Amino acid sequence: MAEIRPFAPSKDRTPRYTVKEVSELTGLSAYTIRYYENSGLIPSVDRTDGNIRMFSEYALSWLRLVHCLRATGLPIDQVRHYIRMCEQGDSTIPERAEMIFRQEESLRRQLESLQQQFEVLKYKKEYYKRLLEGRGQDSCNPAARQKAEPDIVPELAL
């Protein structure tokens, strides 16, 4: 079975990209890139004599990882802790693994919640399509004063 790699890490530490170029490569805003770097989340970002940040492929690998961890909801302080543990070496592997395992579980719960919300929206979309096609009456309209409870959402374990 092939290894899943969402992005290829690089060991190339040759400084070559400005913040603007990194923004174009990654789709991240220059503000976000600077914020991550200022927060100490991207190891090995070089500076020119004019103090311009220069990113290597290695630094880009870190930036992509940091952005991924943030996108999963991991707070900045925990991302920073994770980066520091990586820099400390293999002795921190158990703690790093535990952090990733916990974040994966948190993300799984978020996905389940989003799936339930998506199902409600799909249900409501079909409900309104039927109404727009003239098939049925609006059972969600309180002015209709129906005796039965309206069928507002599908039966989900919310």
Side-chain angles (χ1 to χ4, degrees), residues 110-122:
Q110 290 174 44
L111 283 169
E112 288 173 359
S113 177
L114 285 172
Q115 185 61 45
Q116 288 179 339
Q117 295 167 32
F118 184 70
E119 292 301 321
V120 169
L121 289 179
K122 279 183 10 185

Side-chain angles (χ1 to χ4, degrees), residues 64-78:
R64 289 181 180 107
L65 176 62
V66 166
H67 182 64
C68 176
L69 293 173
R70 287 293 296 134
T72 69
L74 196 65
I76 289 282
D77 62 324
Q78 289 186 27

Side-chain angles (χ1 to χ4, degrees), residues 25-52:
L25 286 169
T26 63
L28 297 173
S29 72
Y31 173 84
T32 298
I33 295 163
R34 285 188 201 97
Y35 177 76
Y36 287 164
E37 198 272 331
N38 287 339
S39 297
L41 302 177
I42 308 170
S44 301
V45 174
D46 290 317
R47 300 269 182 153
T48 66
D49 292 338
N51 205 30
I52 295 171

Side-chain angles (χ1 to χ4, degrees), residues 7-144:
F7 51 85
S10 176
K11 294 180 181 181
D12 182 356
R13 294 178 187 236
T14 308
R16 59 175 54 117
Y17 305 110
T18 64
V19 169
K20 181 181 181 195
E21 292 168 327
V22 170
S23 178
E24 291 168 358
L25 286 169
T26 63
L28 297 173
S29 72
Y31 173 84
T32 298
I33 295 163
R34 285 188 201 97
Y35 177 76
Y36 287 164
E37 198 272 331
N38 287 339
S39 297
L41 302 177
I42 308 170
S44 301
V45 174
D46 290 317
R47 300 269 182 153
T48 66
D49 292 338
N51 205 30
I52 295 171
R53 291 172 181 89
M54 295 300 293
F55 290 76
S56 63
E57 291 293 336
Y58 178 76
L60 281 177
S61 294
W62 279 107
L63 174 63
R64 289 181 180 107
L65 176 62
V66 166
H67 182 64
C68 176
L69 293 173
R70 287 293 296 134
T72 69
L74 196 65
I76 289 282
D77 62 324
Q78 289 186 27
V79 174
R80 186 178 297 109
H81 181 62
Y82 179 84
I83 300 300
R84 295 303 163 253
M85 286 190 298
C86 289
E87 292 175 325
Q88 291 172 19
D90 290 353
S91 65
T92 64
I93 288 174
E95 188 177 351
R96 285 186 273 153
E98 181 58 32
M99 182 181 280
I100 295 300
F101 298 161
R102 278 193 316 266
Q103 197 60 22
E104 179 192 38
E105 178 58 24
S106 172
L107 195 57
R108 186 192 58 71
R109 287 191 305 272
Q110 290 174 44
L111 283 169
E112 288 173 359
S113 177
L114 285 172
Q115 185 61 45
Q116 288 179 339
Q117 295 167 32
F118 184 70
E119 292 301 321
V120 169
L121 289 179
K122 279 183 10 185
Y123 177 85
K124 295 304 281 184
K125 176 183 170 186
E126 290 304 314
Y127 171 81
Y128 284 113
K129 281 172 74 176
R130 284 194 310 275
L131 291 179
L132 290 169
E133 293 168 355
R135 299 183 295 129
Q137 293 183 325
D138 187 3
S139 62
C140 294
N141 183 348

